[in-house]
Amino acid sequence: MSLALVAYYSYSGATRRLAEEIARQTGAALLTLTPETPYAFDHNTAIRELRNEIERGFCPKLVSDCEAAQKCEIVFVGSPNWLNRFAPPVLSFLRQTDLAGKTVVPFCTSGGGGLGRMAEDFKRECPRSALLDGLQAAADFTPAEVSAFLTRIGLSRH
């Protein structure tokens, strides 16, 4: 596979595990999207805070070095499904990284909400990229699910 990168934000660890599996199966490098101010939600405020950030199009400052994406032809971009959207750190990455001419592959973890409105959001944020179908996985995904997805989109190393 040509130079590939798996850029992701993970809050609970589920998206991180999925990103690591994609990287393992593709040989891609990993990039964790880390906001300067980490989220510290409690159950009572999380939904209100997230809805506010997502509706405002908030882009938190990242401490991650996103320059690695410039050298890659294929960029997998992952997030937890938050209110049917990707997490604000992913929006920050997409807005500060020029992905024009690159192949972008979205992925997310969710409890059953699929990609939600993320597919539309990726189209809006990556208008000059080749956008492939995305992967939605539950926290208890299997490596076989990832392998089947990569084969279906033509990015399997096997």
Side-chain angles (χ1 to χ4, degrees):
M1 179 179 293
S2 55
L3 288 176
L5 177 73
V6 179
Y8 70 95
Y9 172 75
S10 184
Y11 181 73
S12 68
T15 307
R16 175 186 49 78
R17 288 188 304 277
L18 182 57
E20 289 170 347
E21 184 61 28
I22 291 169
R24 186 187 72 73
Q25 290 193 29
T26 62
L30 278 169
L31 172 64
T32 305
L33 303 176
T34 306
E36 185 174 68
T37 304
Y39 289 99
F41 300 126
D42 75 30
H43 182 69
N44 296 323
T45 63
I47 297 298
R48 185 175 61 246
E49 186 176 340
L50 287 174
R51 181 169 281 120
N52 181 0
E53 286 191 1
I54 290 168
E55 287 175 356
R56 289 185 299 130
F58 176 68
C59 292
K61 182 175 168 106
L62 300 176
V63 296
S64 309
D65 180 9
C66 299
E67 290 298 313
Q70 300 309 313
K71 300 175 189 149
C72 296
E73 296 175 26
I74 300 167
V75 182
F76 293 85
V77 183
S79 176
N81 177 331
W82 281 359
L83 304 172
N84 289 316
R85 309 301 275 273
F86 44 68
V90 172
L91 183 60
S92 296
F93 172 74
L94 294 174
R95 290 198 173 162
Q96 76 181 38
T97 307
D98 182 8
L99 298 176
K102 298 181 184 308
T103 298
V104 174
V105 185
F107 66 95
C108 78
T109 53
S110 74
L115 285 169
R117 293 180 50 196
M118 283 186 241
E120 299 163 23
D121 294 342
F122 273 103
K123 286 178 187 172
R124 183 184 67 247
E125 297 299 330
C126 305
R128 299 180 332 187
S129 303
L131 194 59
L132 298 185
D133 288 340
L135 169 65
Q136 179 277 322
D140 63 349
F141 72 90
T142 65
E145 289 175 72
V146 174
S147 179
F149 167 73
L150 293 170
T151 298
R152 187 173 77 246
I153 64 169
L155 295 178
S156 176
R157 282 200 318 188
H158 310 338

